[in-house]
Amino acid sequence: MVQETGSGVAIERLAAVIGECRKCPLWENTHHAVPGEGDAGADLMLIGEAPGKQEDLTGRPFVGRAGKLLDGLLSGIGLVRGDIFIANIVKHRPPGNRDPRDEEIRACTPYLEEQIRIVEPKVIVMLGRHSSRYILSFLPVEFDRITEIRGTVYPAVLFGHPVRLIPTLHPAAALYNPAYREALEEDFRVIGRELAGAGGSAIRD
Ligand code: URA
């Protein structure tokens, strides 16, 4: 999809740069970079961890099983993919889906920061501990377990813009764990309320 707004053009130019990125060795074992996608003027940005197998094959974020679960959570608050922007902490798949390394995160996160500057979301949701740790380090907020802080709303100013930061569980963690799934549903209700408060398009309750 070609986006003709200024921010849409900027996001697509950045995606082209990410597609050629060789700043760390992750690209060597991949089929595609997964820069992220969605509405470049979205109120809501979701940040995952790293592409998995399906994402690497397609170049699109969250298209595997965790992505299907995510679609259900979004639809529960009246949103579809096209309403939001989805990105990851690292843009190439780590081999065997291992955790991204500190040096890979350091090399890749300037792209994420640029995406946040372009989209200027009102609400950023961090899916899982890697993205939560990275984004909350700007406040700074530290934590041991994501379950301690999930669903908390942290008001912040990121790159000169006010934003509400909400950490939650990674949807992959909820695939086989009904308690985590309930926790995610609860956190998405918080997200819906925050978006409604920010004048966003989610269902109000
Ligand atoms: N998990 C992630 O963190 N990101 C994706 O894009 C897919 C699965």
Side-chain angles (χ1 to χ4, degrees):
M1 181 179 60
V2 177
Q3 305 195 40
E4 286 171 359
T5 58
S7 53
V9 171
I11 278 290
E12 281 172 19
R13 284 206 182 120
L14 183 58
V17 173
I18 293 168
E20 301 295 312
C21 183
R22 304 291 182 257
K23 287 200 286 176
C24 84
L26 279 183
W27 67 275
E28 287 171 5
N29 300 304
T30 60
H31 296 89
H32 292 103
V34 182
E37 66 183 31
D39 178 358
D43 286 338
L44 174 61
M45 180 183 274
L46 301 187
I47 305 177
E49 178 180 323
K53 186 171 180 195
Q54 294 307 316
E55 290 77 20
D56 175 52
L57 290 173
T58 57
R60 302 188 54 213
F62 281 100
V63 291
R65 281 178 312 150
K68 302 278 171 298
L69 200 149
L70 189 58
D71 287 342
L73 291 163
L74 287 169
S75 120
I77 57 167
L79 294 174
V80 294
R81 291 278 183 123
D83 296 326
I84 66 168
F85 193 86
I86 308 188
N88 279 307
I89 286 282
V90 301
K91 314 297 195 194
H92 282 97
R93 182 190 185 205
N97 291 350
R98 67 159 167 74
D99 285 351
R101 296 185 175 135
D102 287 349
E103 62 273 21
E104 293 157 356
I105 292 176
R106 261 197 307 279
C108 209
T109 40
Y111 296 131
L112 177 67
E113 293 177 17
E114 189 59 22
Q115 289 172 322
I116 296 171
R117 282 196 197 89
I118 294 169
V119 177
E120 289 181 14
K122 294 183 172 129
V123 176
I124 296 181
V125 172
M126 296 83 81
L127 301 167
R129 72 195 151 93
H130 287 285
S131 59
S132 297
R133 189 152 284 141
Y134 183 73
I135 293 292
L136 291 177
S137 71
F138 284 97
L139 295 187
V141 167
E142 290 182 9
F143 63 92
D144 288 324
R145 298 177 63 83
I146 185 78
T147 45
E148 290 164 14
I149 57 160
R150 56 151 273 263
T152 308
V153 180
Y154 295 94
V157 175
L158 275 194
F159 315 118
H161 290 278
V163 59
R164 321 273 288 172
L165 306 175
I166 308 178
T168 188
L169 306 176
H170 194 286
L175 283 174
Y176 301 106
N177 185 329
Y180 282 179
R181 189 173 175 135
E182 267 173 43
L184 262 168
E185 284 168 359
E186 192 178 302
D187 293 353
F188 268 70
R189 286 194 285 275
V190 173
I191 295 162
R193 281 197 292 275
E194 284 301 316
L195 281 171
S201 54
I203 284 175
R204 280 138 238 252
D205 58 14

mmCIF file with all atom_site columns, all heavy atoms in Angstrom, residues 105-125:
data_model
loop_
_atom_site.group_PDB
_atom_site.id
_atom_site.type_symbol
_atom_site.label_atom_id
_atom_site.label_alt_id
_atom_site.label_comp_id
_atom_site.label_asym_id
_atom_site.label_entity_id
_atom_site.label_seq_id
_atom_site.pdbx_PDB_ins_code
_atom_site.Cartn_x
_atom_site.Cartn_y
_atom_site.Cartn_z
_atom_site.occupancy
_atom_site.B_iso_or_equiv
_atom_site.pdbx_formal_charge
_atom_site.auth_seq_id
_atom_site.auth_comp_id
_atom_site.auth_asym_id
_atom_site.auth_atom_id
_atom_site.pdbx_PDB_model_num
ATOM 1   N N   . ILE A 1 105 ? 20.115 -5.206 19.210 1.00 0.00 ? 105 ILE A N   1
ATOM 2   C CA  . ILE A 1 105 ? 19.098 -4.219 19.614 1.00 0.00 ? 105 ILE A CA  1
ATOM 3   C C   . ILE A 1 105 ? 19.681 -2.810 19.459 1.00 0.00 ? 105 ILE A C   1
ATOM 4   O O   . ILE A 1 105 ? 19.030 -1.912 18.924 1.00 0.00 ? 105 ILE A O   1
ATOM 5   C CB  . ILE A 1 105 ? 18.631 -4.500 21.064 1.00 0.00 ? 105 ILE A CB  1
ATOM 6   C CG1 . ILE A 1 105 ? 17.863 -5.821 21.101 1.00 0.00 ? 105 ILE A CG1 1
ATOM 7   C CG2 . ILE A 1 105 ? 17.790 -3.349 21.609 1.00 0.00 ? 105 ILE A CG2 1
ATOM 8   C CD1 . ILE A 1 105 ? 17.433 -6.281 22.485 1.00 0.00 ? 105 ILE A CD1 1
ATOM 9   N N   . ARG A 1 106 ? 20.943 -2.643 19.884 1.00 0.00 ? 106 ARG A N   1
ATOM 10  C CA  . ARG A 1 106 ? 21.586 -1.312 19.749 1.00 0.00 ? 106 ARG A CA  1
ATOM 11  C C   . ARG A 1 106 ? 21.679 -0.883 18.293 1.00 0.00 ? 106 ARG A C   1
ATOM 12  O O   . ARG A 1 106 ? 21.442 0.262  17.937 1.00 0.00 ? 106 ARG A O   1
ATOM 13  C CB  . ARG A 1 106 ? 22.994 -1.335 20.360 1.00 0.00 ? 106 ARG A CB  1
ATOM 14  C CG  . ARG A 1 106 ? 23.047 -0.755 21.759 1.00 0.00 ? 106 ARG A CG  1
ATOM 15  C CD  . ARG A 1 106 ? 24.466 -0.409 22.167 1.00 0.00 ? 106 ARG A CD  1
ATOM 16  N NE  . ARG A 1 106 ? 25.403 -1.524 22.005 1.00 0.00 ? 106 ARG A NE  1
ATOM 17  C CZ  . ARG A 1 106 ? 25.542 -2.517 22.881 1.00 0.00 ? 106 ARG A CZ  1
ATOM 18  N NH1 . ARG A 1 106 ? 24.835 -2.532 23.993 1.00 0.00 ? 106 ARG A NH1 1
ATOM 19  N NH2 . ARG A 1 106 ? 26.406 -3.485 22.665 1.00 0.00 ? 106 ARG A NH2 1
ATOM 20  N N   . ALA A 1 107 ? 22.020 -1.826 17.424 1.00 0.00 ? 107 ALA A N   1
ATOM 21  C CA  . ALA A 1 107 ? 22.175 -1.483 15.996 1.00 0.00 ? 107 ALA A CA  1
ATOM 22  C C   . ALA A 1 107 ? 20.827 -1.142 15.366 1.00 0.00 ? 107 ALA A C   1
ATOM 23  O O   . ALA A 1 107 ? 20.736 -0.278 14.492 1.00 0.00 ? 107 ALA A O   1
ATOM 24  C CB  . ALA A 1 107 ? 22.821 -2.657 15.254 1.00 0.00 ? 107 ALA A CB  1
ATOM 25  N N   . CYS A 1 108 ? 19.769 -1.816 15.807 1.00 0.00 ? 108 CYS A N   1
ATOM 26  C CA  . CYS A 1 108 ? 18.486 -1.728 15.092 1.00 0.00 ? 108 CYS A CA  1
ATOM 27  C C   . CYS A 1 108 ? 17.539 -0.662 15.637 1.00 0.00 ? 108 CYS A C   1
ATOM 28  O O   . CYS A 1 108 ? 16.697 -0.141 14.887 1.00 0.00 ? 108 CYS A O   1
ATOM 29  C CB  . CYS A 1 108 ? 17.796 -3.093 15.141 1.00 0.00 ? 108 CYS A CB  1
ATOM 30  S SG  . CYS A 1 108 ? 16.721 -3.421 13.748 1.00 0.00 ? 108 CYS A SG  1
ATOM 31  N N   . THR A 1 109 ? 17.632 -0.339 16.912 1.00 0.00 ? 109 THR A N   1
ATOM 32  C CA  . THR A 1 109 ? 16.598 0.527  17.498 1.00 0.00 ? 109 THR A CA  1
ATOM 33  C C   . THR A 1 109 ? 16.589 1.966  16.975 1.00 0.00 ? 109 THR A C   1
ATOM 34  O O   . THR A 1 109 ? 15.535 2.612  17.101 1.00 0.00 ? 109 THR A O   1
ATOM 35  C CB  . THR A 1 109 ? 16.639 0.494  19.044 1.00 0.00 ? 109 THR A CB  1
ATOM 36  O OG1 . THR A 1 109 ? 18.002 0.492  19.474 1.00 0.00 ? 109 THR A OG1 1
ATOM 37  C CG2 . THR A 1 109 ? 15.930 -0.725 19.575 1.00 0.00 ? 109 THR A CG2 1
ATOM 38  N N   . PRO A 1 110 ? 17.664 2.502  16.393 1.00 0.00 ? 110 PRO A N   1
ATOM 39  C CA  . PRO A 1 110 ? 17.494 3.818  15.767 1.00 0.00 ? 110 PRO A CA  1
ATOM 40  C C   . PRO A 1 110 ? 16.370 3.811  14.710 1.00 0.00 ? 110 PRO A C   1
ATOM 41  O O   . PRO A 1 110 ? 15.689 4.823  14.521 1.00 0.00 ? 110 PRO A O   1
ATOM 42  C CB  . PRO A 1 110 ? 18.864 4.090  15.127 1.00 0.00 ? 110 PRO A CB  1
ATOM 43  C CG  . PRO A 1 110 ? 19.821 3.344  16.006 1.00 0.00 ? 110 PRO A CG  1
ATOM 44  C CD  . PRO A 1 110 ? 19.077 2.094  16.409 1.00 0.00 ? 110 PRO A CD  1
ATOM 45  N N   . TYR A 1 111 ? 16.136 2.685  14.051 1.00 0.00 ? 111 TYR A N   1
ATOM 46  C CA  . TYR A 1 111 ? 15.037 2.608  13.083 1.00 0.00 ? 111 TYR A CA  1
ATOM 47  C C   . TYR A 1 111 ? 13.682 2.725  13.790 1.00 0.00 ? 111 TYR A C   1
ATOM 48  O O   . TYR A 1 111 ? 12.781 3.422  13.323 1.00 0.00 ? 111 TYR A O   1
ATOM 49  C CB  . TYR A 1 111 ? 15.076 1.293  12.299 1.00 0.00 ? 111 TYR A CB  1
ATOM 50  C CG  . TYR A 1 111 ? 16.297 1.136  11.428 1.00 0.00 ? 111 TYR A CG  1
ATOM 51  C CD1 . TYR A 1 111 ? 17.050 -0.028 11.464 1.00 0.00 ? 111 TYR A CD1 1
ATOM 52  C CD2 . TYR A 1 111 ? 16.681 2.149  10.552 1.00 0.00 ? 111 TYR A CD2 1
ATOM 53  C CE1 . TYR A 1 111 ? 18.166 -0.185 10.651 1.00 0.00 ? 111 TYR A CE1 1
ATOM 54  C CE2 . TYR A 1 111 ? 17.799 2.002  9.745  1.00 0.00 ? 111 TYR A CE2 1
ATOM 55  C CZ  . TYR A 1 111 ? 18.540 0.833  9.802  1.00 0.00 ? 111 TYR A CZ  1
ATOM 56  O OH  . TYR A 1 111 ? 19.643 0.676  9.003  1.00 0.00 ? 111 TYR A OH  1
ATOM 57  N N   . LEU A 1 112 ? 13.558 2.006  14.898 1.00 0.00 ? 112 LEU A N   1
ATOM 58  C CA  . LEU A 1 112 ? 12.300 2.069  15.658 1.00 0.00 ? 112 LEU A CA  1
ATOM 59  C C   . LEU A 1 112 ? 12.069 3.500  16.162 1.00 0.00 ? 112 LEU A C   1
ATOM 60  O O   . LEU A 1 112 ? 10.948 4.015  16.096 1.00 0.00 ? 112 LEU A O   1
ATOM 61  C CB  . LEU A 1 112 ? 12.371 1.094  16.840 1.00 0.00 ? 112 LEU A CB  1
ATOM 62  C CG  . LEU A 1 112 ? 11.151 1.112  17.753 1.00 0.00 ? 112 LEU A CG  1
ATOM 63  C CD1 . LEU A 1 112 ? 9.914  0.589  17.031 1.00 0.00 ? 112 LEU A CD1 1
ATOM 64  C CD2 . LEU A 1 112 ? 11.403 0.295  19.018 1.00 0.00 ? 112 LEU A CD2 1
ATOM 65  N N   . GLU A 1 113 ? 13.141 4.118  16.647 1.00 0.00 ? 113 GLU A N   1
ATOM 66  C CA  . GLU A 1 113 ? 12.998 5.488  17.162 1.00 0.00 ? 113 GLU A CA  1
ATOM 67  C C   . GLU A 1 113 ? 12.546 6.430  16.044 1.00 0.00 ? 113 GLU A C   1
ATOM 68  O O   . GLU A 1 113 ? 11.705 7.305  16.253 1.00 0.00 ? 113 GLU A O   1
ATOM 69  C CB  . GLU A 1 113 ? 14.313 5.944  17.792 1.00 0.00 ? 113 GLU A CB  1
ATOM 70  C CG  . GLU A 1 113 ? 14.607 5.143  19.047 1.00 0.00 ? 113 GLU A CG  1
ATOM 71  C CD  . GLU A 1 113 ? 15.946 5.480  19.698 1.00 0.00 ? 113 GLU A CD  1
ATOM 72  O OE1 . GLU A 1 113 ? 16.519 6.548  19.377 1.00 0.00 ? 113 GLU A OE1 1
ATOM 73  O OE2 . GLU A 1 113 ? 16.401 4.674  20.527 1.00 0.00 ? 113 GLU A OE2 1
ATOM 74  N N   . GLU A 1 114 ? 13.099 6.231  14.857 1.00 0.00 ? 114 GLU A N   1
ATOM 75  C CA  . GLU A 1 114 ? 12.683 7.057  13.718 1.00 0.00 ? 114 GLU A CA  1
ATOM 76  C C   . GLU A 1 114 ? 11.200 6.788  13.382 1.00 0.00 ? 114 GLU A C   1
ATOM 77  O O   . GLU A 1 114 ? 10.446 7.712  13.068 1.00 0.00 ? 114 GLU A O   1
ATOM 78  C CB  . GLU A 1 114 ? 13.594 6.758  12.519 1.00 0.00 ? 114 GLU A CB  1
ATOM 79  C CG  . GLU A 1 114 ? 13.423 7.680  11.324 1.00 0.00 ? 114 GLU A CG  1
ATOM 80  C CD  . GLU A 1 114 ? 13.662 9.155  11.634 1.00 0.00 ? 114 GLU A CD  1
ATOM 81  O OE1 . GLU A 1 114 ? 14.344 9.479  12.625 1.00 0.00 ? 114 GLU A OE1 1
ATOM 82  O OE2 . GLU A 1 114 ? 13.127 9.984  10.872 1.00 0.00 ? 114 GLU A OE2 1
ATOM 83  N N   . GLN A 1 115 ? 10.793 5.540  13.469 1.00 0.00 ? 115 GLN A N   1
ATOM 84  C CA  . GLN A 1 115 ? 9.373  5.227  13.215 1.00 0.00 ? 115 GLN A CA  1
ATOM 85  C C   . GLN A 1 115 ? 8.479  5.924  14.237 1.00 0.00 ? 115 GLN A C   1
ATOM 86  O O   . GLN A 1 115 ? 7.416  6.449  13.885 1.00 0.00 ? 115 GLN A O   1
ATOM 87  C CB  . GLN A 1 115 ? 9.159  3.698  13.246 1.00 0.00 ? 115 GLN A CB  1
ATOM 88  C CG  . GLN A 1 115 ? 9.766  3.014  12.031 1.00 0.00 ? 115 GLN A CG  1
ATOM 89  C CD  . GLN A 1 115 ? 9.756  1.496  12.116 1.00 0.00 ? 115 GLN A CD  1
ATOM 90  O OE1 . GLN A 1 115 ? 9.977  0.912  13.187 1.00 0.00 ? 115 GLN A OE1 1
ATOM 91  N NE2 . GLN A 1 115 ? 9.521  0.835  10.988 1.00 0.00 ? 115 GLN A NE2 1
ATOM 92  N N   . ILE A 1 116 ? 8.894  5.952  15.489 1.00 0.00 ? 116 ILE A N   1
ATOM 93  C CA  . ILE A 1 116 ? 8.085  6.624  16.521 1.00 0.00 ? 116 ILE A CA  1
ATOM 94  C C   . ILE A 1 116 ? 8.026  8.125  16.224 1.00 0.00 ? 116 ILE A C   1
ATOM 95  O O   . ILE A 1 116 ? 6.964  8.749  16.321 1.00 0.00 ? 116 ILE A O   1
ATOM 96  C CB  . ILE A 1 116 ? 8.663  6.358  17.937 1.00 0.00 ? 116 ILE A CB  1
ATOM 97  C CG1 . ILE A 1 116 ? 8.577  4.870  18.276 1.00 0.00 ? 116 ILE A CG1 1
ATOM 98  C CG2 . ILE A 1 116 ? 7.937  7.204  18.985 1.00 0.00 ? 116 ILE A CG2 1
ATOM 99  C CD1 . ILE A 1 116 ? 9.305  4.460  19.560 1.00 0.00 ? 116 ILE A CD1 1
ATOM 100 N N   . ARG A 1 117 ? 9.172  8.710  15.819 1.00 0.00 ? 117 ARG A N   1
ATOM 101 C CA  . ARG A 1 117 ? 9.183  10.156 15.484 1.00 0.00 ? 117 ARG A CA  1
ATOM 102 C C   . ARG A 1 117 ? 8.245  10.462 14.322 1.00 0.00 ? 117 ARG A C   1
ATOM 103 O O   . ARG A 1 117 ? 7.584  11.477 14.295 1.00 0.00 ? 117 ARG A O   1
ATOM 104 C CB  . ARG A 1 117 ? 10.591 10.603 15.086 1.00 0.00 ? 117 ARG A CB  1
ATOM 105 C CG  . ARG A 1 117 ? 11.504 10.814 16.244 1.00 0.00 ? 117 ARG A CG  1
ATOM 106 C CD  . ARG A 1 117 ? 12.734 11.614 15.798 1.00 0.00 ? 117 ARG A CD  1
ATOM 107 N NE  . ARG A 1 117 ? 13.756 11.464 16.780 1.00 0.00 ? 117 ARG A NE  1
ATOM 108 C CZ  . ARG A 1 117 ? 14.681 10.496 16.797 1.00 0.00 ? 117 ARG A CZ  1
ATOM 109 N NH1 . ARG A 1 117 ? 14.736 9.610  15.816 1.00 0.00 ? 117 ARG A NH1 1
ATOM 110 N NH2 . ARG A 1 117 ? 15.550 10.414 17.765 1.00 0.00 ? 117 ARG A NH2 1
ATOM 111 N N   . ILE A 1 118 ? 8.210  9.576  13.333 1.00 0.00 ? 118 ILE A N   1
ATOM 112 C CA  . ILE A 1 118 ? 7.370  9.827  12.143 1.00 0.00 ? 118 ILE A CA  1
ATOM 113 C C   . ILE A 1 118 ? 5.886  9.642  12.485 1.00 0.00 ? 118 ILE A C   1
ATOM 114 O O   . ILE A 1 118 ? 5.053  10.482 12.167 1.00 0.00 ? 118 ILE A O   1
ATOM 115 C CB  . ILE A 1 118 ? 7.766  8.870  10.985 1.00 0.00 ? 118 ILE A CB  1
ATOM 116 C CG1 . ILE A 1 118 ? 9.186  9.174  10.496 1.00 0.00 ? 118 ILE A CG1 1
ATOM 117 C CG2 . ILE A 1 118 ? 6.761  8.986  9.832  1.00 0.00 ? 118 ILE A CG2 1
ATOM 118 C CD1 . ILE A 1 118 ? 9.755  8.111  9.545  1.00 0.00 ? 118 ILE A CD1 1
ATOM 119 N N   . VAL A 1 119 ? 5.543  8.541  13.133 1.00 0.00 ? 119 VAL A N   1
ATOM 120 C CA  . VAL A 1 119 ? 4.127  8.214  13.374 1.00 0.00 ? 119 VAL A CA  1
ATOM 121 C C   . VAL A 1 119 ? 3.537  9.098  14.481 1.00 0.00 ? 119 VAL A C   1
ATOM 122 O O   . VAL A 1 119 ? 2.366  9.468  14.438 1.00 0.00 ? 119 VAL A O   1
ATOM 123 C CB  . VAL A 1 119 ? 3.967  6.707  13.720 1.00 0.00 ? 119 VAL A CB  1
ATOM 124 C CG1 . VAL A 1 119 ? 2.522  6.360  14.042 1.00 0.00 ? 119 VAL A CG1 1
ATOM 125 C CG2 . VAL A 1 119 ? 4.471  5.833  12.559 1.00 0.00 ? 119 VAL A CG2 1
ATOM 126 N N   . GLU A 1 120 ? 4.370  9.459  15.467 1.00 0.00 ? 120 GLU A N   1
ATOM 127 C CA  . GLU A 1 120 ? 3.893  10.248 16.626 1.00 0.00 ? 120 GLU A CA  1
ATOM 128 C C   . GLU A 1 120 ? 2.624  9.648  17.238 1.00 0.00 ? 120 GLU A C   1
ATOM 129 O O   . GLU A 1 120 ? 1.584  10.317 17.346 1.00 0.00 ? 120 GLU A O   1
ATOM 130 C CB  . GLU A 1 120 ? 3.617  11.702 16.238 1.00 0.00 ? 120 GLU A CB  1
ATOM 131 C CG  . GLU A 1 120 ? 4.849  12.503 15.964 1.00 0.00 ? 120 GLU A CG  1
ATOM 132 C CD  . GLU A 1 120 ? 4.510  13.948 15.612 1.00 0.00 ? 120 GLU A CD  1
ATOM 133 O OE1 . GLU A 1 120 ? 3.362  14.387 15.823 1.00 0.00 ? 120 GLU A OE1 1
ATOM 134 O OE2 . GLU A 1 120 ? 5.416  14.634 15.112 1.00 0.00 ? 120 GLU A OE2 1
ATOM 135 N N   . PRO A 1 121 ? 2.685  8.368  17.649 1.00 0.00 ? 121 PRO A N   1
ATOM 136 C CA  . PRO A 1 121 ? 1.482  7.741  18.218 1.00 0.00 ? 121 PRO A CA  1
ATOM 137 C C   . PRO A 1 121 ? 1.135  8.362  19.568 1.00 0.00 ? 121 PRO A C   1
ATOM 138 O O   . PRO A 1 121 ? 2.010  8.873  20.264 1.00 0.00 ? 121 PRO A O   1
ATOM 139 C CB  . PRO A 1 121 ? 1.913  6.278  18.396 1.00 0.00 ? 121 PRO A CB  1
ATOM 140 C CG  . PRO A 1 121 ? 3.400  6.346  18.559 1.00 0.00 ? 121 PRO A CG  1
ATOM 141 C CD  . PRO A 1 121 ? 3.857  7.489  17.714 1.00 0.00 ? 121 PRO A CD  1
ATOM 142 N N   . LYS A 1 122 ? -0.150 8.264  19.929 1.00 0.00 ? 122 LYS A N   1
ATOM 143 C CA  . LYS A 1 122 ? -0.572 8.745  21.259 1.00 0.00 ? 122 LYS A CA  1
ATOM 144 C C   . LYS A 1 122 ? -0.375 7.652  22.307 1.00 0.00 ? 122 LYS A C   1
ATOM 145 O O   . LYS A 1 122 ? -0.217 7.938  23.486 1.00 0.00 ? 122 LYS A O   1
ATOM 146 C CB  . LYS A 1 122 ? -2.036 9.164  21.210 1.00 0.00 ? 122 LYS A CB  1
ATOM 147 C CG  . LYS A 1 122 ? -2.238 10.377 20.295 1.00 0.00 ? 122 LYS A CG  1
ATOM 148 C CD  . LYS A 1 122 ? -3.672 10.851 20.296 1.00 0.00 ? 122 LYS A CD  1
ATOM 149 C CE  . LYS A 1 122 ? -3.781 12.155 19.535 1.00 0.00 ? 122 LYS A CE  1
ATOM 150 N NZ  . LYS A 1 122 ? -4.828 12.122 18.522 1.00 0.00 ? 122 LYS A NZ  1
ATOM 151 N N   . VAL A 1 123 ? -0.468 6.411  21.847 1.00 0.00 ? 123 VAL A N   1
ATOM 152 C CA  . VAL A 1 123 ? -0.313 5.270  22.756 1.00 0.00 ? 123 VAL A CA  1
ATOM 153 C C   . VAL A 1 123 ? 0.669  4.283  22.114 1.00 0.00 ? 123 VAL A C   1
ATOM 154 O O   . VAL A 1 123 ? 0.528  3.952  20.934 1.00 0.00 ? 123 VAL A O   1
ATOM 155 C CB  . VAL A 1 123 ? -1.675 4.564  23.005 1.00 0.00 ? 123 VAL A CB  1
ATOM 156 C CG1 . VAL A 1 123 ? -1.499 3.325  23.873 1.00 0.00 ? 123 VAL A CG1 1
ATOM 157 C CG2 . VAL A 1 123 ? -2.691 5.529  23.637 1.00 0.00 ? 123 VAL A CG2 1
ATOM 158 N N   . ILE A 1 124 ? 1.666  3.857  22.895 1.00 0.00 ? 124 ILE A N   1
ATOM 159 C CA  . ILE A 1 124 ? 2.582  2.799  22.426 1.00 0.00 ? 124 ILE A CA  1
ATOM 160 C C   . ILE A 1 124 ? 2.401  1.596  23.344 1.00 0.00 ? 124 ILE A C   1
ATOM 161 O O   . ILE A 1 124 ? 2.477  1.724  24.567 1.00 0.00 ? 124 ILE A O   1
ATOM 162 C CB  . ILE A 1 124 ? 4.059  3.246  22.465 1.00 0.00 ? 124 ILE A CB  1
ATOM 163 C CG1 . ILE A 1 124 ? 4.291  4.406  21.495 1.00 0.00 ? 124 ILE A CG1 1
ATOM 164 C CG2 . ILE A 1 124 ? 4.990  2.080  22.132 1.00 0.00 ? 124 ILE A CG2 1
ATOM 165 C CD1 . ILE A 1 124 ? 5.740  4.898  21.458 1.00 0.00 ? 124 ILE A CD1 1
ATOM 166 N N   . VAL A 1 125 ? 2.146  0.440  22.741 1.00 0.00 ? 125 VAL A N   1
ATOM 167 C CA  . VAL A 1 125 ? 1.999  -0.796 23.505 1.00 0.00 ? 125 VAL A CA  1
ATOM 168 C C   . VAL A 1 125 ? 3.194  -1.683 23.213 1.00 0.00 ? 125 VAL A C   1
ATOM 169 O O   . VAL A 1 125 ? 3.488  -1.984 22.048 1.00 0.00 ? 125 VAL A O   1
ATOM 170 C CB  . VAL A 1 125 ? 0.683  -1.515 23.128 1.00 0.00 ? 125 VAL A CB  1
ATOM 171 C CG1 . VAL A 1 125 ? 0.613  -2.894 23.773 1.00 0.00 ? 125 VAL A CG1 1
ATOM 172 C CG2 . VAL A 1 125 ? -0.492 -0.659 23.558 1.00 0.00 ? 125 VAL A CG2 1
#
